[in-house]
Amino acid sequence: MFLKKATISDLPEMQELFVQTIQSVCKNDYNPEQIEAWTYGINNKERWLEVIEKQYVLLAVIENKIAGFATLKGGNYIDFFYIHKDFQRQGIADKLLAELELEAQKQHSKMITSDISITAKPFFEKKGFVAKAEQKNIRLNVELINYKMEKQLKQ
């Protein structure tokens, strides 16, 4: 496995991974209606282009396939963090998170935050993140629960 920065040409594979991961990995925590509302974000082309153009986007690549990706917005906010359904529990999330934390520190951030799904919450808690609030988001008239989480970075 190696890590690399994403380019616009990686976008279709990233989007496919985004949808497949939510549909398979999150199905025990979110119902089909919620999953459909969540994955509907794939249709927001401007948002995805902005992620590639303005965020620090890191890909984990195994055998020329994107095994996971994570993004850092504004030097301190994890916007996207997804590991391919076929590459779960192989240490990929650990490596991506460690790199995002290093990048945040390079940008002089003292804290890193994110809005974390029910599914990902245990992983982030193990990594030192603390839940500050449960959030109820409405998308397509469907309620999605996630958690505002944060972690103090070592200086």
Side-chain angles (χ1 to χ4, degrees), residues 18 22 30 33-42 44 47 77 79-80 82 115 135-146:
F18 168 80
I22 294 166
Y30 296 91
E33 210 177 31
Q34 290 170 316
I35 287 173
E36 187 178 329
W38 186 354
T39 58
Y40 188 79
I42 197 75
N44 187 343
R47 163 107 161 94
Y77 178 77
D79 194 7
F80 286 82
Y82 292 90
D115 297 304
Q135 303 177 122
K136 291 177 167 67
N137 302 289
I138 306 297
R139 285 202 192 145
L140 306 178
N141 295 319
V142 177
E143 183 179 274
L144 291 167
I145 291 174
N146 68 9

Side-chain angles (χ1 to χ4, degrees), residues 40-103:
Y40 188 79
I42 197 75
N43 299 306
N44 187 343
K45 304 246 185 300
E46 294 79 26
R47 163 107 161 94
W48 283 90
L49 288 172
E50 190 175 294
V51 166
I52 290 286
E53 290 167 7
K54 297 190 175 155
Q55 295 188 28
Y56 178 78
V57 183
L58 206 53
L59 305 177
V61 180
I62 296 175
E63 294 174 7
N64 293 321
K65 191 173 168 131
I66 298 174
F69 73 94
T71 75
L72 191 66
K73 182 178 181 178
N76 67 355
Y77 178 77
I78 298 171
D79 194 7
F80 286 82
F81 198 96
Y82 292 90
I83 309 301
H84 191 287
K85 64 183 176 60
D86 297 337
F87 292 97
Q88 296 281 312
R89 304 201 187 329
Q90 294 180 27
I92 296 164
D94 294 338
K95 286 188 174 69
L96 284 171
L97 182 59
E99 286 298 316
L100 289 189
E101 288 182 9
L102 280 174
E103 181 63 23

Side-chain angles (χ1 to χ4, degrees), residues 14 32 44 67 78 87-88 109 113 117 127 130 145:
M14 288 169 61
N44 187 343
I78 298 171
F87 292 97
Q88 296 281 312
S109 295
T113 66
S117 69
K127 296 296 173 185
V130 177
I145 291 174

Side-chain angles (χ1 to χ4, degrees), residues 111 121 129-134 147-152:
M111 184 183 297
K121 186 174 179 249
F129 280 74
V130 177
K132 291 298 182 181
E134 180 179 289
Y147 299 90
K148 173 65 76 186
M149 296 185 79
E150 62 184 39
K151 178 182 180 178
Q152 294 292 131

Side-chain angles (χ1 to χ4, degrees), residues 4-11 14 52 59:
K4 72 169 195 143
K5 289 191 73 177
T7 64
I8 198 83
S9 64
D10 296 309
L11 206 48
M14 288 169 61
I52 290 286
L59 305 177

